[in-house]
Amino acid sequence: QQQQQQQHSGGLWAPSAGMLSEDGRTVYFLGLIDFLIGYDIHKEAESLIRLIQGHGSTASCVSPVAYAKRQARFLRDSVVAGCSDGAGTLGRLKVELSRAENLIAGDWVGTSDPYVVATLGLLSEKTHTCCKDRNPTWNCTLYLPVNESHRGQQVELTVWDEDHQAYSGSDDFLGKLLIPMAQVLKGPVCLLSQPLQEVPQGQLSATLSFQAVGSSVSTSS
């Protein structure tokens, strides 16, 4: 039985996520070998201290989920960079972030420096930061790979207030939206001034669409 292959710029990817050699005769699989330790309450406290110090993104001791996300990004950005168009085994998710309105104030002076993080599975992408603007306009497009395992998961759009001063701790949460990936697979999802969850105020506008493997045109109209 002939194995179906997916053509990408710079190489071929097998459906099992292995990377084929140029002559198509060898399949390479990428992975990491590392030492893991128990993540107990003491390690959680150590991670929290590093976060407060402003070193959360580089802390060596993090939760298992944060560790998995960090390694997934490392493999994509530093090991297989340039070998694919960013698509997963099914295709890729296109997230068009347009604007937000009436966000809560993340700073003590009554302003916010908001940005949006789009997450699916272990990978995420973020917009640029709009400084001192509680009604920001990003007009930014993000892409995330979509694999078979993502069918039953949710796309998370989280708005954060960027903290420019390390001693103040981590970035402040300004709200989020959860969108079932299964819904996006059926057709484009347009969010117009959708109320943000877990905060008293704020709305987010965005459009999510799915691009199947081998398709250069979005399913959005």
Side-chain angles (χ1 to χ4, degrees), residues 42-57:
H42 299 291
K43 292 299 181 182
E44 188 173 356
E46 179 183 336
S47 178
L48 180 60
I49 291 173
R50 295 292 291 167
L51 184 65
I52 294 175
Q53 292 174 336
H55 302 292
S57 61

Side-chain angles (χ1 to χ4, degrees), residues 79-140:
V79 179
V80 298
C83 294
S84 75
D85 59 5
T89 55
L90 289 182
R92 65 178 184 173
L93 171 68
K94 180 180 180 181
V95 183
E96 298 172 89
L97 280 308
S98 54
R99 66 183 187 276
E101 305 164 64
N102 197 30
L103 295 175
I104 60 175
D107 303 329
W108 64 273
V109 293
T111 62
S112 288
D113 302 318
Y115 64 92
V116 180
V117 176
T119 302
L120 178 62
L122 295 176
L123 290 177
S124 61
E125 294 288 349
K126 69 177 184 176
T127 68
H128 60 278
T129 299
C130 292
C131 296
K132 294 180 173 56
D133 194 345
R134 292 172 59 187
N135 297 283
T137 297
W138 293 285
N139 288 331
C140 179

Side-chain angles (χ1 to χ4, degrees), residues 161-207:
D161 168 55
E162 184 174 353
D163 194 337
H164 300 281
Q165 299 177 339
Y167 64 81
S168 297
S170 62
D171 294 349
D172 297 312
F173 175 74
L174 301 182
K176 70 178 182 181
L177 295 177
L178 297 175
I179 305 95
M181 188 62 214
Q183 183 179 353
V184 182
L185 290 172
K186 294 178 182 178
V189 175
C190 298
L191 307 171
L192 182 60
S193 298
Q194 187 74 15
L196 291 165
Q197 302 171 12
E198 300 182 15
V199 287
Q201 66 185 58
Q203 298 85 38
L204 180 66
S205 295
T207 300

